[in-house]
Amino acid sequence: MTFSSTARRSIGRRSLLAGAGGLLATPAIVRAQGSNGVALVVGNSKYHWEASLPNVRRDAPDVAKRFEQLGLKTELLLDVDGAGLRAAIAKFGESCRGAKFAAFYFAGHGVFWEKKTYVVPVDADLGNPSAAASLIPVSSLNEAMKDAANRLMVFDSCRNNPADGWRQREAKGLARGDALASAAALASQQPNTLMLFSTAPGGIALDGPAGENSPFAAALLRQFAGASVDLQTLHDRLRRELLLATECRQMLFAQNTYGAPFALAGRAGAGPAARHDPSRIVELPNAYAFARENGLTLPPGLVAYRPLSASDQKKVGSYKYESVISGGGGYKALSVAIVLSIPDPGSAEVLQAFKNFDPGAGGTRWRH
């Protein structure tokens, strides 16, 4: 049995313009304080031309406070325009020089356009694709933070285009073709860097109840609530927690170049309460066993979530598929599809890992 992922048409909290495009060793504890640890937190809520994002006003200060509790010298900026954001990034880049650790967090509208990701200042108008030229590329953050020994970048925004369906479909086709970066692409990135995106390419980031943190911000704060946090494994734990918090409608995407454990030490604090129904969680041991046996790649931390509809409950879980393609010598294709959730009638959140045994087709991949 196979399923196709159907795009949800609801608009999430941070709208985005989308265009083309085992056992762990105990980590060494690093106390990154003062000049040895810096952070910049930006929360854009009151946009001039785009929808306001009221929960950002809670998320960004809460993240900034937790960064301070982890010993980071933190600057918090709210509702920043393009000139102000560029100036802040330049200033932040100076503070990153010689720092043992640097962290950046952005909450607000975001843009994925022609295979590049941008953050949106409050004075930007996303009504025209040419607006991308005035936005702030993620690459500028990566460049500004390059002189820090260790880096964390977090982007809490949708990655879809609710206003333009055909461009959204085009973006999904390009962005989801290879959801995991290739080894060559990772090798070209800065070492000791963790980059977190609150949702998958083409996906939405849910807002959560009014007056509370978004599901992603709440999950991140819970991960940061301990006395230390290991950046090498953070994304795997966070992926699972976010899936549970959103009933498997929102999945974290990450790029990680940490080759060894790296933990920040602070003081323990209380995080937002987690809310999920344990009776509806579906673990996926068979899917992971099948993937390991057949050399398929699945991201850690996956679970599925039973829908309330009794007729849909048997559809949630994993399905294996094997076929022989007659053209080009009859090579074999193998895949496992995981139905993460069925949030609405006719809609399913699906992740697929697949392997093409044709030597020229290139390795194993997964997409959401």
Side-chain angles (χ1 to χ4, degrees):
M1 180 179 290
T2 60
F3 290 83
S4 297
S5 180
T6 301
R8 293 176 53 79
R9 299 187 181 279
S10 59
I11 298 176
R13 63 184 308 238
R14 319 214 198 280
S15 298
L16 174 144
L17 175 69
L23 289 180
L24 299 175
T26 302
I29 301 297
V30 176
R31 187 172 294 277
Q33 290 187 346
S35 61
N36 288 329
V38 295
L40 174 61
V41 175
V42 178
N44 280 351
S45 174
K46 295 182 178 180
Y47 281 85
H48 301 175
W49 307 102
E50 307 303 323
S52 295
L53 304 170
N55 282 25
V56 169
R57 281 276 175 168
R58 178 182 296 271
D59 295 341
D62 285 354
V63 171
K65 180 180 179 180
R66 190 55 190 152
F67 280 167
E68 290 176 341
Q69 291 171 341
L70 288 168
L72 307 180
K73 184 177 180 181
T74 303
E75 182 176 8
L76 170 64
L77 300 175
L78 299 175
D79 299 327
V80 191
D81 62 17
L85 191 49
R86 289 183 178 86
I89 292 171
K91 178 183 175 183
F92 183 53
E94 294 176 0
S95 67
C96 288
R97 293 172 186 165
K100 291 182 179 178
F101 178 73
F104 174 81
Y105 173 90
F106 174 83
H109 285 298
V111 167
F112 186 85
W113 185 255
E114 294 184 344
K115 300 184 181 182
K116 295 181 180 180
T117 302
Y118 302 83
V119 297
V120 181
V122 295
D123 56 347
D125 181 359
L126 301 181
N128 190 320
S130 64
S134 66
L135 305 180
I136 312 298
V138 166
S139 58
S140 68
L141 269 302
N142 197 28
E143 178 66 21
M145 298 171 68
K146 68 178 182 180
D147 290 329
N150 297 273
R151 289 159 294 277
L152 170 66
M153 285 175 273
V154 184
F155 301 96
D156 192 359
S157 65
C158 286
R159 305 177 75 185
N160 71 336
N161 180 6
D164 194 336
W166 72 266
R167 289 191 182 277
Q168 182 175 334
R169 289 192 295 271
E170 185 181 4
K172 287 180 180 178
L174 289 170
R176 295 184 176 186
D178 283 322
L180 284 181
S182 67
L186 284 173
S188 68
Q189 295 177 6
Q190 295 284 345
N192 301 330
T193 300
L194 175 60
M195 188 178 297
L196 302 175
F197 296 93
S198 64
T199 192
I204 63 170
L206 302 175
D207 200 16
E212 297 185 12
N213 294 114
S214 74
F216 173 80
L220 183 69
L221 288 166
R222 284 193 292 272
Q223 288 297 321
F224 283 169
S228 68
V229 54
D230 179 15
L231 296 188
Q232 188 189 32
T233 59
L234 170 64
H235 58 302
D236 294 339
R237 299 191 306 272
L238 185 56
R239 179 180 294 113
R240 179 185 176 90
E241 187 157 356
L242 183 60
L243 284 169
L244 294 176
T246 61
E247 300 186 357
C248 291
R249 288 178 288 171
Q250 184 175 334
M251 190 173 76
L252 171 86
F253 265 53
Q255 293 180 342
N256 179 29
T257 60
Y258 277 94
F262 178 87
L264 291 173
R267 64 177 186 269
R275 298 193 187 110
H276 59 265
D277 183 352
S279 69
R280 295 174 62 190
I281 298 170
V282 182
E283 302 290 351
L284 301 166
N286 293 339
Y288 278 105
F290 180 77
R292 287 192 299 269
E293 290 169 3
N294 293 280
L296 295 171
T297 301
L298 282 178
L302 294 180
V303 293
Y305 210 82
R306 291 186 179 91
L308 291 174
S309 170
S311 61
D312 286 334
Q313 287 184 4
K314 292 183 179 180
K315 299 176 183 178
V316 171
S318 58
Y319 304 85
K320 59 183 178 181
Y321 181 74
E322 185 174 349
S323 65
V324 176
I325 303 175
S326 58
Y331 57 85
K332 183 172 67 172
L334 186 70
S335 67
V336 57
I338 298 174
V339 182
L340 298 169
S341 66
I342 303 179
D344 297 313
S347 174
E349 296 291 336
V350 181
L351 180 143
Q352 183 183 26
F354 56 97
K355 181 175 183 179
N356 199 321
F357 290 84
D358 176 16
T364 66
R365 292 168 290 189
W366 63 271
R367 62 169 58 141
H368 176 246

